[in-house]
Amino acid sequence: IVRERCVNIQNSGKSLLSIINNILDFSKIESGNMELIEDKFNISSVLEEVINMTVTRKGCKKIEIIVLADPNIPCGLIGDEVCIKQIIINLMTNAVKFTHSGAVTLSVSHIVQEDSIILKISVEDTGIGITEENLNRLFTSFQQLDTRKNRSIEGTGLGLAISKRLLTQMGGTINVSSVYGQGSVFSFEIPLKISDARPFISVNEPEKLYAAVFIDFEKIENSVVKKKYTTLMNEISSLLGVKMVHIVSLSELKTTISERKITHCFIGKEEYIENKDYFDKISLELNVSLIQDITDSIQLPASIKCIYKPFYVMSVALALNNEADNYNKIERLSSSVSFTAPKARVLIVDDAEINLKVASGLMQPYNMELITADSGPSAINKIRFQNIDLVFMDHMMPEMDGVEATRIIRSMNGEYYKKLPIIALTANAVNGAREMFKESDFNDFIAKPIELLALDRVLKKWIPADKIETLTSKDNTTDDLKNNSNNINKEKHILVSKGLTYTSGNKDVYYEVVVNEGEEIS
């Protein structure tokens, strides 16, 4: 109960923050102070964050999130990543809010030009739809349509107005079509320059691969969803250049596998449960991936990979490249570590002891040398006499805050102090914080509470490249934990991946919790 209430508080806080951000964004746009920041970004990271946000927003709602993405979109683009992401998230969360059954489909494609592309985004839903007379009011500020019908749905009515203004500022356009009672389609186009023309998704030696998809789409009651999934599978096969066959019976699958044609097998949750012994056995010799919903997942043996919905071209490509573990969202949330840096020295500055412990615990899996300071003056002193590679500086501290401490560090003699990466740790996560910290000589910022994916991104970006050691082989942490969990308590069902989310991926803490809990309840 306590954990559930804490989650509710966190979600309510994020909702309030979103409303504040919308109001601030709209004020900036209206006053002409909204500055676009163009920089290089990767379309895959945008999609991943949008999908994660949408899945979180969907929660346990009985709708499907479907993603159709063209893998040939250039992986490196130039534009305002934050604004583009915000627009897509606005459209996706709106679709989820107003859809009670069926599916929300995100389509991502592009049109190639000389040294640029037109990025095309479409969000289609099977929701309540919009009446013809209300279509003209869609992009009006502080307007929610059908307020009587939708009064239980939160929001300021600013999301679409902000999205349209941002797109106009970036040279893009947005369109909408809808059938009341059946659903809506929002689509936009935006011109973007290319920094890296390579496809953002690719499969190694596709001609050597042959995948079987063992999911009975006939079990899906909604005809639109059924059709979407059939289209999705055909598009994935065509776009990746991989032969992919849809199989609806176990006997057909066994025949195909016995003929040694199959290299990879994708199965649904129900199909696995009904034939668990068979799939557990063949997974020792064949690449088997289970597709399931993160809110209703089951534990799997180590030999079977897990792909959390949405099942789309990126997750399939990773599985075909035998990298499916890297896409396991629960394990990424529990341990987002993609590298180690044993030679790196990182200073964490915060006046609260508990914050220092939390931050240190989150960074422990990277095997860096961690140094802590509880004040601005202490941090300055440690930087003066120690060779630090990266600093995480708390924004608000008594006597000397993070901004003043950073200003003093930058004013010290020597290029080292001018170039030392300093990252702001802040609870001030409203939009505009990035520009504020940049003007205050910070290199980047991370919002509190620290999210593991954001931490991994910042560490990878700012730690010296020659001190980063990429994890090239499969991390055996999860397998080790499963084995140890079984040894600790064979009579109790333990979902290791979920347990890790409560210890931030720290296996030592996890062992301690499991052992102590086992002693208390045995």
Side-chain angles (χ1 to χ4, degrees):
I1 295 176
V2 173
R3 183 179 298 121
E4 182 180 348
R5 289 176 178 173
C6 286
V7 170
N8 289 337
I9 292 170
Q10 183 184 42
N11 290 338
S12 297
K14 288 182 177 179
S15 178
L16 178 60
L17 181 62
S18 175
I19 291 172
I20 294 171
N21 280 336
N22 280 344
I23 294 172
L24 291 176
D25 277 348
F26 188 75
S27 299
K28 283 183 181 180
I29 293 170
E30 289 292 281
S31 63
N33 292 325
M34 188 69 177
E35 180 186 357
L36 296 177
I37 301 176
E38 292 197 345
D39 201 356
K40 296 178 181 179
F41 71 93
N42 193 309
I43 189 64
S44 62
S45 63
V46 171
L47 278 180
E48 187 176 344
E49 289 195 43
V50 166
I51 289 169
N52 287 342
M53 286 285 289
T54 305
V55 169
T56 301
R57 181 64 183 81
K58 179 182 85 76
C60 295
K61 210 170 187 180
K62 299 300 181 182
I63 59 176
E64 294 290 327
I65 306 298
I66 296 173
V67 180
L68 303 171
D70 182 356
N72 295 310
I73 295 173
C75 65
L77 299 171
I78 299 174
D80 193 314
E81 177 183 6
V82 173
C83 288
I84 295 170
K85 195 186 307 174
Q86 181 181 355
I87 294 166
I88 305 174
I89 289 173
N90 275 343
L91 298 182
M92 289 294 287
T93 53
N94 260 0
V96 168
K97 281 194 293 186
F98 295 103
T99 302
H100 307 299
S101 64
V104 172
T105 304
L106 171 65
S107 300
V108 187
S109 60
H110 73 300
I111 299 173
V112 179
Q113 298 185 322
E114 287 187 6
D115 58 348
S116 63
I117 67 165
I118 301 294
L119 183 66
K120 302 179 67 176
I121 304 290
S122 172
V123 175
E124 179 183 359
D125 65 63
T126 57
I128 61 176
I130 306 162
T131 60
E132 189 173 345
E133 59 267 27
N134 279 329
L135 282 174
N136 294 328
R137 298 170 49 208
L138 267 181
F139 300 101
T140 306
S141 312
F142 300 102
Q143 288 284 334
Q144 269 199 332
L145 309 183
D146 259 349
T147 51
R148 284 189 178 183
K149 189 175 182 180
N150 302 318
R151 65 183 303 162
S152 63
I153 298 176
E154 77 281 0
T156 58
L158 280 174
L160 290 176
I162 290 172
S163 297
K164 184 172 182 178
R165 284 163 172 77
L166 288 175
L167 280 166
T168 299
Q169 198 167 342
M170 291 187 285
T173 58
I174 186 168
N175 295 290
V176 58
S177 62
S178 182
V179 177
Y180 191 62
Q182 295 184 26
S184 306
V185 180
F186 287 83
S187 58
F188 71 85
E189 296 183 357
I190 181 173
L192 296 170
K193 294 179 181 177
I194 301 172
S195 63
D196 188 337
R198 292 176 300 169
F200 89 98
I201 301 172
S202 61
V203 172
N204 303 327
E205 301 181 307
E207 68 281 355
K208 295 182 180 180
L209 304 178
Y210 187 0
V213 179
F214 180 44
I215 303 174
D216 187 2
F217 293 142
E218 292 303 317
K219 293 180 180 179
I220 301 174
E221 295 180 1
N222 189 291
S223 60
V224 174
V225 176
K226 188 186 304 181
K227 184 177 179 181
K228 289 285 185 184
Y229 269 120
T230 303
T231 301
L232 173 65
M233 195 194 72
N234 293 334
E235 284 205 6
I236 288 175
S237 175
S238 174
L239 290 170
L240 293 179
V242 174
K243 188 173 182 182
M244 187 176 288
V245 59
H246 181 212
I247 294 174
V248 295
S249 71
L250 184 64
S251 59
E252 183 185 356
L253 179 67
K254 287 182 176 179
T255 300
T256 309
I257 290 176
S258 66
E259 294 173 354
R260 299 184 180 274
K261 291 181 179 180
I262 301 298
T263 59
H264 294 75
C265 184
F266 297 94
I267 56 175
K269 178 182 171 183
E270 290 185 15
E271 285 73 15
Y272 172 73
I273 293 174
E274 293 170 0
N275 308 282
K276 183 179 183 302
D277 291 340
Y278 172 73
F279 286 113
D280 287 351
K281 181 179 179 180
I282 67 166
S283 65
L284 299 174
E285 302 176 356
L286 183 69
N287 289 292
V288 178
S289 298
L290 177 80
I291 304 159
Q292 60 179 331
D293 197 310
I294 196 169
T295 59
D296 187 29
S297 60
I298 58 174
Q299 190 171 3
L300 300 169
S303 57
I304 296 182
K305 308 299 184 294
C306 178
I307 296 177
Y308 289 102
K309 293 181 180 179
F311 175 65
Y312 78 116
V313 67
M314 185 183 289
S315 54
V316 174
L318 288 170
L320 293 174
N321 289 334
N322 298 323
E323 299 172 2
D325 283 349
N326 295 334
Y327 200 72
N328 183 322
K329 286 189 178 65
I330 283 184
E331 291 185 14
R332 289 191 66 173
L333 287 171
S334 64
S335 179
S336 302
V337 177
S338 62
F339 66 92
T340 59
K343 296 180 182 178
R345 294 165 60 84
V346 175
L347 173 64
I348 308 170
V349 187
D350 200 302
D351 61 296
E353 182 181 356
I354 186 64
N355 289 347
L356 290 175
K357 287 183 178 180
V358 170
S360 298
L362 293 175
M363 297 184 203
Q364 184 181 351
Y366 292 91
N367 295 327
M368 303 176 296
E369 182 179 346
L370 301 176
I371 304 157
T372 60
D374 59 6
S375 67
S378 175
I380 293 169
N381 186 57
K382 292 189 177 186
I383 289 171
R384 192 188 304 274
F385 296 105
Q386 299 187 51
N387 185 20
I388 305 295
D389 294 299
L390 179 63
V391 178
F392 286 92
M393 181 78 72
D394 184 27
H395 178 205
M396 303 300 293
M397 292 184 289
E399 298 181 16
M400 179 187 292
D401 65 14
V403 173
E404 184 180 356
T406 299
R407 180 181 57 78
I408 292 173
I409 293 168
R410 298 301 189 205
S411 67
M412 295 163 67
N413 292 328
E415 282 298 304
Y416 166 74
Y417 303 106
K418 305 288 189 299
K419 296 181 178 180
L420 174 64
I422 303 178
I423 313 301
L425 286 174
T426 178
N428 181 18
V430 296
N431 288 350
R434 178 175 57 170
E435 293 84 354
M436 182 191 73
F437 288 119
K438 189 174 181 180
E439 291 172 0
S440 301
D441 288 328
F442 287 90
N443 297 89
D444 209 334
F445 83 96
I446 288 185
K448 294 180 181 179
I450 299 172
E451 293 188 359
L452 297 173
L453 292 175
L455 176 63
D456 189 76
R457 174 187 62 79
V458 167
L459 288 171
K460 187 183 296 182
K461 182 176 180 180
W462 294 108
I463 287 178
D466 59 349
K467 295 189 177 183
I468 288 180
E469 298 180 5
T470 304
L471 297 176
T472 55
S473 59
K474 181 175 182 281
D475 185 0
N476 293 321
T477 299
T478 305
D479 294 343
D480 292 343
L481 287 172
K482 287 176 181 175
N483 293 334
N484 277 280
S485 298
N486 291 333
N487 292 335
I488 291 169
N489 197 332
K490 294 182 179 179
E491 299 300 320
K492 298 177 176 63
H493 298 287
I494 298 175
L495 183 57
V496 175
S497 56
K498 186 172 183 179
L500 279 167
T501 64
Y502 301 125
T503 62
S504 299
N506 190 316
K507 64 180 181 179
D508 294 327
V509 175
Y510 174 82
Y511 288 149
E512 182 180 351
V513 171
V514 173
V515 171
N516 291 339
E517 183 70 13
E519 290 175 352
E520 290 179 10
I521 64 178
S522 59

